[in-house]
Amino acid sequence: MSEISADAQNRSVPAAALSHNFPALIFGILLIVIVICGNVLVCISVYMEKALKTTTNYFIVSLAFADLLLAVLVLPLFVYAEFQGGVWSLNMLLCDGLMTMDVMLCTASIFNLCAISVDRFIAVSIPLNYNRRHVDHRQIVLLSATWLLSLAVASPVVFGINNVPDRDPTECKLEDNNYVVYSSVCSFFIPCPIMLLLYLGVLRGLQRWEEARKLKLRSSIEACRKLQHAAIATVFPPLTGTIPGPLPMPLPRIIERDLAQCRLDDTDDFMQQEIPYPRQYRENSVPTLTLSEQLTRQKRAKINNRERKAMRVLPVVVGCFLFCWTPFFVVHTTRAMCLTCDIPHGLMSTVTWLGYVNSALNPIIYTMFNTEFRKFFKRCFRSCC
């Protein structure tokens, strides 16, 4: 929801006579290239890489698509206006189109993040009914709602709310202050608290799940050891002169696998606690007991390691979004509600640039924090070089 202005009411100099802002032009072109390249890579990686075809990543593709549209439809006009010193020198109909797409795509970005948090909350709360690999009707409804609601928030601009009397043709902004407050509340101040509350619920759910998994694993180890020791005591009575205590028999294959996965998860998640079982049992991994194939293939209501890594990425994405867009919405709403407040154009321009930078940060976050995305990006760069 950018506002392209240079305090034109206090100016009488035409736009053509203004000095050009070359740093804004250079930075804007670089930003557009980074946003397009990064988000195209995200979309292509999910399309080509089988390991990335998860419901969470489909929402990330929707977010990347919104950022792509922003780079193609909004940023070029915004950069051109900033290059002109903040003065709008194009057609006012084009300005209304810019405002419409700006409101819609900014709203779509935050609604996509909110939809991701809803999807993750469902995955943690009711994992038995959650489809992790294929988009079902619930995900389709969420994806559709994000774009339809975004269009609804931006539609007043299409229907002419910007056509006010005595409109300054050298300014491109949202003219109706009531609509500015309304769109800011719908696009930011309502979804963000909901999104943060949902992520708190997701983190609490993950903590409870981890505690229950470790408790169940400890119980399985203890029960298995008791059966093994009883069998040894019955078949092989203790011999004189031998080391006292039962022999460190190996654990069943399925428990060994769970132990290995648990140790791997704890290492990946930087956990310091270990499951308390004897060292000789940890080091003895020769499978001796065979469980039925039906048990090993039974569906378990648990979140796999890849999804937990994805959940670790998403709060970082949300945090960066809030860091980038909160200053803009606060300044934007303050300017609309406080008509006597003198907000410099430089501050308005800075917070708007900061908001647009968020569109370039998401692909970088995926590269740094998601192993599957990082592997795909490395393969792409190696093949290109």
Side-chain angles (χ1 to χ4, degrees):
M1 299 180 191
S2 65
E3 183 174 335
I4 303 168
S5 167
D7 296 332
Q9 294 178 348
N10 300 326
R11 299 182 182 185
S12 58
V13 183
L18 295 175
S19 59
H20 292 160
N21 189 347
F22 285 99
L25 178 64
I26 296 173
F27 179 77
I29 292 175
L30 289 176
L31 182 62
I32 292 173
V33 172
I34 293 173
V35 172
I36 292 177
C37 293
N39 287 285
V40 165
L41 261 179
V42 170
C43 296
I44 292 176
S45 62
V46 175
Y47 176 77
M48 296 182 61
E49 187 70 20
K50 184 178 180 180
L52 292 173
K53 293 183 183 297
T54 63
T55 52
T56 299
N57 289 339
Y58 291 142
F59 284 98
I60 291 176
V61 168
S62 180
L63 176 64
F65 184 67
D67 291 336
L68 273 176
L69 290 179
L70 185 76
V72 173
L73 301 177
V74 175
L75 278 178
L77 292 175
F78 172 76
V79 172
Y80 176 77
E82 288 292 299
F83 175 67
Q84 296 287 347
V87 175
W88 185 257
S89 60
L90 302 176
N91 188 277
M92 296 310 295
L93 186 62
L94 192 60
C95 170
D96 290 342
L98 172 63
M99 291 294 101
T100 302
M101 297 306 301
D102 199 4
V103 172
M104 177 181 172
L105 296 175
C106 175
T107 305
S109 294
I110 194 168
F111 280 3
N112 272 297
L113 288 171
C114 196
I116 292 172
S117 64
V118 172
D119 180 72
R120 294 296 85 202
F121 183 78
I122 294 173
V124 173
S125 302
I126 47 174
L128 282 175
N129 298 328
Y130 182 76
N131 191 344
R132 297 181 177 88
R133 280 294 172 184
H134 303 285
V135 177
D136 58 15
H137 67 279
R138 184 165 44 232
Q139 281 91 20
I140 293 175
V141 169
L142 278 174
L143 284 169
S144 303
T146 57
W147 289 95
L148 292 177
L149 290 175
S150 302
L151 179 60
V153 172
S155 60
V157 184
V158 178
F159 294 126
I161 198 173
N162 256 13
N163 295 329
V164 297
D166 301 326
R167 184 179 181 182
D168 191 345
T170 62
E171 271 190 307
C172 183
K173 66 175 186 176
L174 296 174
E175 301 289 343
D176 192 304
N177 290 328
N178 293 327
Y179 174 72
V180 171
V181 176
Y182 158 77
S183 61
S184 299
V185 170
C186 292
S187 302
F188 187 80
F189 292 109
I190 290 179
C192 280
I194 295 175
M195 181 169 50
L196 294 176
L197 289 175
L198 287 172
Y199 270 115
L200 288 177
V202 168
L203 293 177
R204 290 185 60 184
L206 286 176
Q207 290 175 354
R208 289 195 300 266
W209 180 83
E210 287 288 345
E211 293 172 359
R213 185 185 67 155
K214 292 184 178 182
L215 180 61
K216 184 178 180 181
L217 185 56
R218 285 196 295 267
S219 301
S220 300
I221 295 171
E222 292 173 1
C224 180
R225 282 305 167 195
K226 288 179 180 179
L227 291 175
Q228 288 182 338
H229 296 164
I232 294 171
T234 302
V235 179
F236 302 104
L239 301 177
T240 58
T242 58
I243 300 175
L247 295 174
M249 294 293 292
L251 294 172
R253 186 190 304 272
I254 187 170
I255 296 181
E256 290 287 351
R257 186 169 59 250
D258 284 344
L259 288 174
Q261 181 64 40
C262 188
R263 291 197 297 270
L264 178 61
D265 294 344
D266 290 347
T267 302
D268 288 342
D269 297 336
F270 303 100
M271 294 182 178
Q272 300 299 325
Q273 298 180 352
E274 291 186 358
I275 299 175
Y277 58 95
R279 180 182 301 275
Q280 61 266 31
Y281 298 157
R282 259 201 324 264
E283 296 172 351
N284 192 347
S285 60
V286 180
T288 58
L289 298 182
T290 304
L291 299 180
S292 63
E293 291 296 324
Q294 182 179 3
L295 179 61
T296 58
R297 296 181 182 180
Q298 182 181 7
K299 292 184 178 180
R300 303 176 187 180
K302 75 179 202 175
I303 305 160
N304 58 36
N305 189 42
R306 183 180 297 147
E307 286 185 335
R308 287 204 303 280
K309 289 180 180 179
M311 289 179 186
R312 196 170 63 228
V313 176
L314 296 176
V316 179
V317 177
V318 174
C320 289
F321 184 91
L322 295 178
F323 173 78
C324 291
W325 280 111
T326 299
F328 169 80
F329 278 101
V330 171
V331 174
H332 193 58
T333 307
T334 302
R335 187 173 186 176
M337 297 180 65
C338 180
L339 300 179
T340 58
C341 297
D342 184 18
I343 298 179
H345 167 68
L347 176 61
M348 198 67 213
S349 179
T350 300
V351 296
T352 304
W353 278 112
L354 182 62
Y356 288 144
V357 166
N358 179 255
S359 298
L361 289 180
N362 289 338
I364 299 175
I365 295 171
Y366 305 147
T367 305
M368 291 176 59
F369 290 92
N370 190 295
T371 305
E372 298 297 336
F373 275 109
R374 188 164 61 246
K375 289 179 180 178
F376 182 84
F377 289 169
K378 286 181 179 179
R379 286 201 302 269
C380 287
F381 291 140
R382 287 173 184 172
S383 60
C384 293
C385 298

XYZ file of all heavy atoms in Angstrom, residues 290-298:
74
model
N 12.123 -59.302 15.647
C 11.447 -58.892 14.417
C 9.972 -58.666 14.712
O 9.293 -59.552 15.206
C 11.583 -59.965 13.334
O 12.959 -60.224 13.134
C 10.948 -59.514 12.037
N 9.488 -57.476 14.417
C 8.073 -57.162 14.592
C 7.362 -57.340 13.262
O 7.971 -57.350 12.206
C 7.905 -55.726 15.097
C 8.552 -55.423 16.447
C 8.305 -53.979 16.833
C 8.037 -56.355 17.519
N 6.067 -57.434 13.311
C 5.282 -57.683 12.101
C 5.365 -56.495 11.160
O 5.544 -55.357 11.574
C 3.819 -57.937 12.475
O 3.267 -56.784 13.074
N 5.234 -56.783 9.865
C 5.251 -55.708 8.868
C 4.058 -54.778 9.043
O 4.130 -53.599 8.725
C 5.227 -56.328 7.469
C 6.501 -57.059 7.083
C 7.676 -56.123 7.003
O 7.473 -54.979 6.574
O 8.784 -56.536 7.399
N 2.984 -55.327 9.549
C 1.806 -54.489 9.744
C 2.082 -53.415 10.791
O 1.633 -52.278 10.653
C 0.612 -55.340 10.195
C -0.675 -54.541 10.371
C -1.826 -55.432 10.784
O -1.646 -56.633 10.991
N -3.011 -54.843 10.907
N 2.837 -53.755 11.838
C 3.154 -52.773 12.863
C 4.108 -51.710 12.349
O 3.958 -50.530 12.636
C 3.759 -53.475 14.079
C 4.175 -52.564 15.246
C 2.957 -51.828 15.781
C 4.847 -53.382 16.331
N 5.112 -52.148 11.570
C 6.093 -51.186 11.068
C 5.500 -50.251 10.032
O 5.994 -49.144 9.851
C 7.289 -51.930 10.453
O 6.836 -52.788 9.411
C 7.992 -52.764 11.506
N 4.463 -50.684 9.333
C 3.845 -49.832 8.315
C 2.620 -49.090 8.826
O 1.953 -48.398 8.066
C 3.438 -50.691 7.110
C 4.627 -51.328 6.391
C 4.178 -52.149 5.207
N 5.299 -52.782 4.547
C 5.187 -53.562 3.473
N 4.005 -53.812 2.961
N 6.270 -54.099 2.933
N 2.326 -49.258 10.106
C 1.127 -48.608 10.653
C 1.302 -47.099 10.621
O 2.370 -46.569 10.928
C 0.908 -49.078 12.098
C -0.335 -48.495 12.736
C -0.481 -48.991 14.167
O 0.407 -49.653 14.680
N -1.588 -48.675 14.777
